[in-house]
Amino acid sequence: MEKNKIIDCKVVIIGGSAGSLQALLQILPFIEPPTSFAMVIVVHRKNSDEQTLEDLIALKAKIKLREVEDKTPLEKGYIYIAPSNYHLLFEKNETLSLDTSEKVNYSRPSIDVSFESAAEIYGSALIGILLSGSNTDGTAGLKAIQKASGMIIVQNPLSADMPFMPKNAMLNTNPDLVLTPQEILEFLKEINKA
Amino acid sequence: MIEDIELEALINDVYEYYGFDFGSYSRASLKRRVSRVYVLDGFKHFHEFLSKVRTDPEYYKRMIDEITVNVTEMFRDPSFYQVLRKEILPLLGTKPFIRIWHAGCSTGEEVYSMAILLKEAGLLHKSILYATDINAAVLETAKSGIFPLRMIKDYADNYRDSGGEEDFSNYYIANYGFAKFNEDLAEKMVFSQHNLVSDTSFNEFDLILCRNVLIYFDNNLQKRVVNLFDDSLAVLGFLALGTKETIKYSISQSKYKQFEKEKIWRKIK
Ligand SMILES: C[S@@+](CC[C@H](N)C(=O)[O-])C[C@H]1O[C@@H](n2cnc3c(N)ncnc32)[C@H](O)[C@@H]1O
């Protein structure tokens, strides 16, 4: 595995849909606050779910959660969650922008939109991880990350509640790694030391 | 996606040929939107797209319509309207006259929502609602007060969630797939084109709503626009933004007091 990709990592972006919360809860509570990267989470959620996901993650994770508002600066050592009903985008000056334009893959936030935008800004300093889910969102985003020399990881479909999304990604991209949530955790601990 | 330099070339040409300045729009969103029409309209080379924009004013209009985001709803974020209804309107109601500005009103659903709140509070007769947008086409829809009937069920739910107790269907007449809202709601509305990038303040207001517009602007333009609102707001007036927008990065916090946890700020000096 290319070591330099890991050492330079500034952003770890994780996408998921149905079944991804279980995976996140196997990972996030056990990582120490990262010293060199920020974590961004983009999951499909109900419009009515305004805060519950944020509250849950804030409660479970050791890493501090930063509320995402428009133009919130993206800083290492924090977790950011795409708010419901907005697409989350990345700006050159390392702030986050929100966008209410039409849904993509029936989703807002859409994983593809955020992955593509992050790839534009962070290139090889980005690691994209796609978790469980039952639609095709995320695949095009992973492609964009790979094209921009970032690293892509897909949850092992055998370990996913809803294997369709990771399977679709494996069929259409060439992931650097295919890992179970436990292995994703080990991987993130490792790069956190790097 | 199109290249950064291509986007800059487009921004320059649009400014030079049409006088519209996209230079301070959020690049992340703008780039996505421009890439989207470029693909949608089947262009293969960026210079062809550029020359089409330059030479065909009709196409320029289409492109602008496609890259600006006009998504809106009635009673969008019901809890926001609940606070307006329960807390803000009673405070404004003590004034002899209430002046409201909807900046970036899009097709007007927000303005009709406000008129309904004012009517139910018995304040509509002494209010005036200025509703502005950069886009002339959306303003035409707003003036007509005609919205797609298929959205009405969601709007009625939003209305109820915002604390509305009337029969929502009393506010419109349904016809051929459209809902036409009652004329009396529109009596106090004034629609006009206004560009937040280049136009100045045109009145003093007690309440300014600018929801989900600033997200399309970069930090500098946000600062300028928030200052424009500051110049247009009476002392003790209110500024309301979208649920994920903030004035935190734009203006001195000592001048404004946030209203509880809402995206509503009161000008205190
Ligand atoms: C997403 S809509 C918001 C509609 C409504 N306020 C709401 O929250 O539902 C954004 C609107 O901002 C308008 N807009 C964009 N740039 C503008 C500018 N420079 N001046 C005025 N309005 C602008 C767009 O035309 C669009 O109608």
Side-chain angles (χ1 to χ4, degrees):
Chain A
M1 180 175 7
E2 300 104 298
K3 201 78 186 161
N4 55 336
K5 267 191 186 176
I6 294 175
I7 291 165
D8 291 342
C9 171
K10 287 176 89 176
V11 177
V12 172
I13 186 164
I14 305 181
S17 187
S20 63
L21 188 59
Q22 284 98 307
L24 284 173
L25 291 178
Q26 285 173 264
I27 300 170
L28 295 177
F30 309 103
I31 315 173
E32 297 300 323
T35 48
S36 59
F37 59 88
M39 292 189 72
V40 180
I41 295 172
V42 184
V43 291
H44 297 158
R45 47 200 300 197
K46 292 217 172 67
N47 287 350
S48 53
D49 163 28
E50 296 212 344
Q51 260 323 122
T52 40
L53 181 65
E54 277 82 354
D55 291 347
L56 182 68
I57 297 213
L59 189 73
K60 298 279 183 183
K62 290 184 197 161
I63 313 172
K64 277 217 186 81
L65 181 82
R66 263 280 165 82
E67 185 193 351
V68 175
E69 292 177 321
D70 181 56
K71 305 296 177 297
T72 297
L74 185 66
E75 291 172 26
K76 60 190 179 194
Y78 293 93
I79 298 184
Y80 300 79
I81 301 179
S84 62
N85 226 357
Y86 290 87
H87 292 303
L88 179 74
L89 301 170
F90 295 76
E91 299 285 350
K92 280 214 174 87
N93 67 359
E94 305 209 48
T95 59
L96 298 169
S97 280
L98 298 172
D99 179 325
T100 59
S101 59
E102 59 282 305
K103 294 182 176 178
V104 173
N105 306 320
Y106 310 100
S107 311
R108 193 176 46 221
S110 143
I111 302 166
D112 281 344
V113 168
S114 293
F115 278 18
E116 283 166 3
S117 174
E120 286 258 317
I121 303 296
Y122 292 98
S124 63
L126 179 69
I127 298 177
I129 304 179
L130 190 68
L131 302 176
S132 165
S134 49
N135 75 13
T136 60
D137 200 16
T139 295
L142 287 179
K143 263 192 199 157
I145 294 176
Q146 193 155 52
K147 196 167 158 220
S149 311
M151 177 172 194
I152 64 173
I153 300 175
V154 172
Q155 179 177 357
N156 187 330
L158 294 172
S159 71
D161 229 34
M162 295 288 172
F164 184 82
M165 203 155 90
K167 262 191 194 155
N168 187 64
M170 286 174 68
L171 281 176
N172 295 291
T173 68
N174 188 10
D176 294 288
L177 295 168
V178 177
L179 303 174
T180 65
Q182 192 57 41
E183 291 164 341
I184 294 173
L185 172 64
E186 294 310 320
F187 171 83
L188 290 174
K189 280 183 173 166
E190 202 55 40
I191 64 167
N192 204 7
K193 271 189 252 154
Chain B
M1 288 261 201
I2 59 166
E3 300 293 323
D4 286 353
I5 48 163
E6 293 172 335
L7 182 62
E8 298 312 313
L10 177 72
I11 292 171
N12 281 333
D13 280 2
V14 165
Y15 185 64
E16 196 176 313
Y17 285 77
Y18 299 97
F20 188 81
D21 188 1
F22 272 114
S24 305
Y25 277 56
S26 148
R27 283 296 187 279
S29 163
L30 192 61
K31 195 168 175 185
R32 231 192 107 228
R33 303 298 295 170
V34 173
S35 301
R36 184 179 152 278
V37 267
Y38 177 80
V39 173
L40 211 64
D41 292 351
F43 287 96
K44 294 275 175 305
H45 298 285
F46 199 78
H47 64 89
E48 288 165 8
F49 174 64
L50 261 192
S51 91
K52 183 86 176 156
V53 169
R54 279 196 301 252
T55 56
D56 182 348
E58 279 308 310
Y59 186 74
Y60 164 73
K61 267 175 76 189
R62 165 177 166 75
M63 181 202 67
I64 295 291
D65 287 351
E66 286 298 323
I67 62 180
T68 53
V69 176
N70 303 119
V71 181
T72 186
E73 281 171 37
M74 288 188 82
F75 298 97
R76 185 177 196 168
D77 315 308
S79 59
F80 166 76
Y81 283 90
Q82 185 148 28
V83 175
L84 280 186
R85 186 193 287 279
K86 295 216 167 110
E87 323 247 5
I88 308 292
L89 292 190
L91 289 170
L92 295 180
T94 59
K95 308 187 68 122
F97 196 64
I98 306 169
R99 289 150 308 174
I100 300 174
W101 179 14
H102 294 265
C105 66
S106 189
T107 39
E109 285 81 341
E110 181 185 281
V111 195
Y112 283 82
S113 308
M114 179 64 89
I116 290 173
L117 289 191
L118 289 165
K119 191 174 160 74
E120 293 184 0
L123 300 173
L124 187 57
H125 68 282
K126 61 169 180 175
S127 304
I128 181 148
L129 299 100
Y130 287 91
T132 63
D133 202 283
I134 177 84
N135 181 328
V138 294
L139 287 172
E140 285 308 313
T141 306
K143 268 181 217 164
S144 74
I146 298 174
F147 304 124
L149 198 56
R150 66 188 151 78
M151 300 303 298
I152 289 291
K153 169 148 187 340
D154 287 351
Y155 296 168
D157 289 346
N158 282 354
Y159 166 75
R160 190 117 324 197
D161 292 343
S162 76
E165 290 172 356
E166 302 296 315
D167 183 349
F168 191 64
S169 64
N170 288 340
Y171 289 117
Y172 60 86
I173 295 168
N175 212 346
Y176 298 108
F178 288 96
K180 168 137 184 47
F181 278 76
N182 300 345
E183 309 247 321
D184 64 325
L185 291 172
E187 254 164 34
K188 300 290 183 168
M189 297 176 190
V190 179
F191 293 97
S192 79
Q193 217 170 347
H194 180 276
N195 183 350
L196 291 166
V197 176
S198 51
D199 292 337
T200 52
S201 171
F202 58 95
N203 209 331
E204 193 179 75
F205 297 95
D206 306 300
L207 169 61
I208 299 176
L209 294 94
C210 183
R211 309 192 70 219
N212 302 304
V213 179
L214 295 181
I215 49 178
Y216 299 104
F217 298 167
D218 72 11
N219 295 93
N220 282 332
L221 181 56
Q222 287 192 359
K223 267 184 210 144
R224 265 162 51 204
V225 173
V226 170
N227 278 291
L228 165 67
F229 294 151
D230 186 49
D231 291 339
S232 313
L233 206 54
V235 175
L236 298 182
F238 296 94
L239 173 62
L241 304 182
T243 45
K244 294 294 168 190
E245 292 169 320
T246 179
I247 61 168
K248 185 155 80 192
Y249 309 118
S250 301
I251 200 164
S252 152
Q253 293 293 289
S254 63
K255 265 187 120 174
Y256 282 83
K257 195 172 177 317
Q258 190 165 6
F259 201 81
E260 287 155 19
K261 285 187 149 172
E262 297 302 320
K263 292 302 163 69
I264 302 176
W265 287 266
R266 191 167 206 186
K267 180 171 175 174
I268 48 181
K269 60 185 181 203

